[in-house]
Structures are given as structure tokens and as C-alpha cells.
Amino acid sequence: DLIEREGLLDHVRANEPLLRDALEQLRDVPLVGDVRGAGYFWGIELVADRETKAPFAPGEAKEVVAVLDHEIKARGLICRAVDRGFPVIQLAPPLIAGPAEFEEIAGVLRAAMTEAAVAHAR
């Protein structure tokens, strides 16, 4: 009832393109292989080489996810960085989120992924 009364589905539909755009801007980060999703459920696939989409070696993926998980949490974003055969960041912002929150999410992810890319390059 609350979802309908507050118009949250309409809010998500109206704001989905803004979330998509904020996340798509992360494609220039060296670790980002793909950005995909719908509504407010999104995934950012991480790769060892953005140009070729080459995956990480198994040990490397775990290290990158560990750095990402730490950096994301330290910056106050609640999402998941996981490695289940391939590393991915899973996002599901609150249904009330809007443009300001999308910018904050993208900023946190950019900083965390940049830190993970630097750590991976060492």
C-alpha cells in the first residue's frame, strides 16, 4: 500500500534514466567492463582490462573485490562488491533516491574503483 500511496514505482520509472546516466559515466574507470540493470537494480561488471574486457585472474579478482568492499564501506555507500566467478558491484538504491543520491553514489564508486585500480596496478 505504501509503495502505491507514495507513488514510488512512478518515481523509479521517472528517475531510472538519471541513475543509468550516472552509472554509465563510470565506464571510463579502468576496472569497468560493463554497466547494466533496470529500474533501481544495477550491476557494474569489473574487468582486468577495460579495452579487451579481459577478466581478472582468480587471485586478482578477490584482491580487487576486497579493496573495493573496504573503500565503498569506508565512504558510506551500502552496496555489494562480490566475486562469483567474475567480480561485480551490485547496487539497489532506496526507491526514494533521486538525482542528488545518484551523483553521490557515482562519486563514491568512482573513488573506490580508482583506489582499487591503483592497488591492482601495484
Side-chain angles (χ1 to χ4, degrees):
D1 289 342
L2 177 67
I3 290 173
E4 289 177 6
R5 185 173 65 244
E6 297 294 325
L8 293 176
L9 293 180
D10 291 334
H11 175 78
V12 168
R13 286 184 192 107
N15 284 284
E16 176 186 8
L18 301 174
L19 176 56
R20 179 186 318 110
D21 290 346
L23 297 177
E24 289 283 345
Q25 290 179 25
L26 298 172
R27 285 187 178 271
D28 66 329
V29 176
L31 296 179
V32 176
D34 196 14
V35 176
R36 58 185 175 269
Y40 276 20
F41 297 100
W42 287 81
I44 300 173
E45 181 181 350
L46 307 174
V47 294
D49 185 308
R50 182 182 66 205
E51 300 303 321
T52 66
K53 306 280 194 260
F56 290 99
E60 291 177 325
K62 290 184 187 331
E63 292 172 12
V64 168
V65 166
V67 171
L68 267 175
D69 189 51
H70 171 76
E71 293 296 327
I72 288 169
K73 288 178 182 172
R75 289 172 167 79
L77 180 62
I78 299 171
C79 68
R80 291 176 22 155
V82 296
D83 177 24
R84 294 189 177 141
F86 61 93
V88 65
I89 297 172
Q90 299 170 332
L91 298 161
L95 300 180
I96 60 170
E101 291 81 15
F102 303 154
E103 286 182 32
E104 185 175 353
I105 289 167
V108 166
L109 290 174
R110 178 175 294 283
M113 288 189 293
T114 299
E115 185 65 32
V118 168
H120 172 20
R122 290 184 212 154

